[in-house]
Amino acid sequence: MSDVFILGIESSCDETAAAVVRSGEQLISNVVASQIATHQPYGGVVPELASREHLRAIVPVVRQALAEAKHTYDSVDAIAVTQGPGLAGSLLVGISYAKALAFALDKPLIAVNHLEGHIHAVLLDIRRNKDRQQGNRELQFPVLALVVSGGHTHLYLAAQQAQGWTYENIGHTRDDAAGEAFDKVAKLLGLGYPGGPVIDRLSPHGDATAVKFPPAQIKHPDRRGRHDGRAVEASVGAAQGPRFDFSYSGIKTAILRYVETHDMRASVETRRKALAVISKPNLDDYLAHCDKRTLDLAASFQRAMVEDLLEKTLAAARACDVATLFVTGGVAANQELRQTFEREAAQEGLPVYFPSRPLSTDNAAMIAAAAYPKFLAKDFAAMDFSAEAGLALR
Ligand code: KG4
Ligand code: ZN
């Protein structure tokens, strides 16, 4: 099979991204235009603004990705685009542009699930690192993938079939996603948006054992009604086998209560105002505006999140007797999470793979990589396919 160059386009949330990837294994270019500055004053992503920013950025970002790859619209073999899940208006910008390109250039169009993209970010990096030690090992199945991002905390058993990859969901968050909890807690502490990277950088400056949080209790039935959800770690549905669900709205409420009972409101507000006038606060700016109690709280929160993610993921890995672990999505960029998973998985003799940090958060290289097996299987999208905000991964 000769080389296949796929142009990937991603616009599901607050990043407009385009990339060219060769045959699912070589990253030729990877351009990501972040909208952080647009959404920062609102403390979170504003969907209408996101769509507008995607409209503005999509053409230059794609042009730049092609130019950096030394490719032209004509020289790529296919166009891949995120179909969902994500913000409907944002997804539509990428999809409409990808469709127009595919139609005008008479190239195949490939629709990719964003979550599948995150899983393929790991595979892309494993192939890119083939020469290094870890890449020399054959990938052992079954693979358990934890996709942990701003919108998802999902566990999938991933398998490679002749016609591409299949995924079985064995766990998801019942309420907030882990990244969402990072973002909400950062907001509660006056640290701005997006919260994950800030809490990541501040945590080593606090005492992670200072505040204890009760373990997440999953008592309420699954909103999606797929199983009864009796136990915390594994609930056994009638026909579906063990489930490993997460819940992060409780810890957010616990932090809110802590802030209130420790009279931190006024200092949070002072910090929020002080940081809001600094255009790109650096670590020293954050530290200058954080007292010890805030740093301890942030570090303790991060420790609790990491431990919960680890505990549930390892419980699932043991129950399903998996041979390999993937951890991917924006929260997989977290330093403490990476170190903890590496250390604890090694103790269990379980190889764990992360994407490189730039490929952990949203990007289009992962979309182009996930599209390659679909290209080989001629699994092309019809021109009338549309955005699916709640698209499930199977
Ligand atoms: O995968 P992603 O870029 O977008 C979604 O698909 O949601 O993930 C974004 C999420 C945000 O909630 C952000 O706060 C979180 O990932 N995040 C982090 C870190 N970097 C990004 N969370 C913890 N530590 C980080 N270093
Ligand atoms: Zn994502």
Side-chain angles (χ1 to χ4, degrees):
M1 179 84 194
S2 55
D3 288 341
V4 174
F5 294 92
I6 298 182
L7 168 67
I9 295 175
E10 152 67 36
S11 68
S12 67
C13 189
D14 57 348
E15 260 108 21
T16 319
V20 178
V21 173
R22 181 184 62 77
S23 306
E25 64 178 38
Q26 190 192 359
L27 183 61
I28 318 268
S29 68
N30 185 31
V31 178
V32 181
S34 164
Q35 302 180 0
I36 287 177
T38 305
H39 302 292
Q40 214 149 30
Y42 305 94
V45 179
V46 183
E48 291 78 4
L49 293 183
S51 317
R52 222 176 295 160
E53 288 297 308
H54 285 305
L55 266 179
R56 235 193 289 268
I58 191 96
V59 174
V61 163
V62 169
R63 274 198 193 134
Q64 190 183 337
L66 288 171
E68 286 181 12
K70 301 198 169 30
H71 268 269
T72 62
Y73 290 108
D74 271 320
S75 67
V76 294
D77 297 292
I79 321 280
V81 65
T82 306
Q83 180 178 16
L87 301 169
S90 293
L91 289 163
L92 276 174
V93 176
I95 291 172
S96 309
Y97 188 54
K99 278 185 187 175
L101 279 181
F103 181 75
L105 301 167
D106 197 20
K107 306 267 183 197
L109 180 63
I110 300 166
V112 175
N113 184 305
H114 182 83
L115 303 175
E116 180 171 27
H118 275 303
I119 293 172
H120 281 257
V122 184
L123 291 161
L124 173 59
D125 268 330
I126 289 176
R127 294 184 196 116
R128 285 168 73 203
N129 295 333
K130 249 198 306 246
D131 301 336
R132 295 197 209 142
Q133 203 190 357
Q134 67 165 12
N136 280 332
R137 276 191 248 132
E138 272 297 306
L139 192 61
Q140 300 293 315
F141 289 90
V143 169
L144 177 66
L146 169 66
V147 182
V148 62
S149 68
H152 295 85
T153 308
H154 279 37
L155 280 169
Y156 293 99
L157 289 172
Q160 191 174 18
Q161 316 283 350
Q163 290 296 301
W165 285 73
T166 57
Y167 310 90
E168 182 192 350
N169 180 267
I170 59 163
H172 60 230
T173 180
R174 298 290 193 84
D175 37 54
D176 292 352
E180 191 179 354
F182 270 92
D183 294 336
K184 287 178 175 170
V185 165
K187 197 171 175 186
L188 269 173
L189 298 180
L191 294 169
Y193 157 88
V198 181
I199 292 180
D200 187 359
R201 285 192 291 158
L202 288 179
S203 289
H205 299 270
D207 174 4
T209 63
V211 186
K212 293 270 172 265
F213 299 102
Q217 296 284 331
I218 301 180
K219 290 187 184 140
H220 52 93
D222 190 347
R223 277 192 214 133
R224 280 160 263 202
R226 288 168 60 177
H227 50 91
D228 63 9
R230 273 169 292 130
V232 177
E233 289 215 331
S235 55
V236 183
Q240 277 149 328
R243 303 270 323 168
F244 303 89
D245 285 352
F246 306 84
S247 167
Y248 295 118
S249 68
I251 192 165
K252 174 197 64 191
T253 311
I255 301 254
L256 176 63
R257 213 168 297 131
Y258 188 97
V259 167
E260 278 167 359
T261 54
H262 291 77
D263 290 328
M264 294 168 72
R265 279 208 168 227
S267 66
V268 163
E269 196 45 29
T270 309
R271 177 180 316 118
R272 194 187 62 72
K273 285 189 179 140
L275 290 171
V277 296
I278 306 174
S279 79
K280 275 190 184 160
N282 60 29
L283 180 59
D284 288 338
D285 295 322
Y286 285 111
L287 288 173
H289 292 95
C290 284
D291 52 9
K292 177 165 163 33
R293 180 166 267 161
T294 304
L295 292 172
D296 288 352
L297 189 54
S300 301
F301 161 74
Q302 179 170 290
R303 175 69 50 87
M305 292 297 293
V306 168
E307 283 181 349
D308 188 79
L309 287 164
L310 177 80
E311 188 189 311
K312 305 247 163 70
T313 304
L314 288 185
R318 285 183 211 115
C320 301
D321 203 13
V322 306
T324 304
L325 197 56
F326 286 4
V327 185
T328 186
V331 183
N334 186 275
Q335 244 359 301
E336 182 176 356
L337 181 137
R338 289 169 97 100
Q339 284 162 4
T340 309
F341 267 79
E342 251 158 22
R343 188 183 64 232
E344 299 297 322
Q347 289 227 330
E348 308 228 351
L350 194 59
V352 57
Y353 295 91
F354 304 89
S356 56
R357 291 183 85 187
L359 293 194
S360 296
T361 46
D362 286 352
N363 65 85
M366 68 187 199
I367 303 303
Y372 179 61
K374 297 183 199 297
F375 180 92
L376 295 181
K378 296 195 167 32
D379 180 6
F380 301 135
M383 269 297 171
D384 62 354
F385 90 94
S386 193
E388 275 198 47
L391 186 64
L393 177 59
R394 294 199 178 82

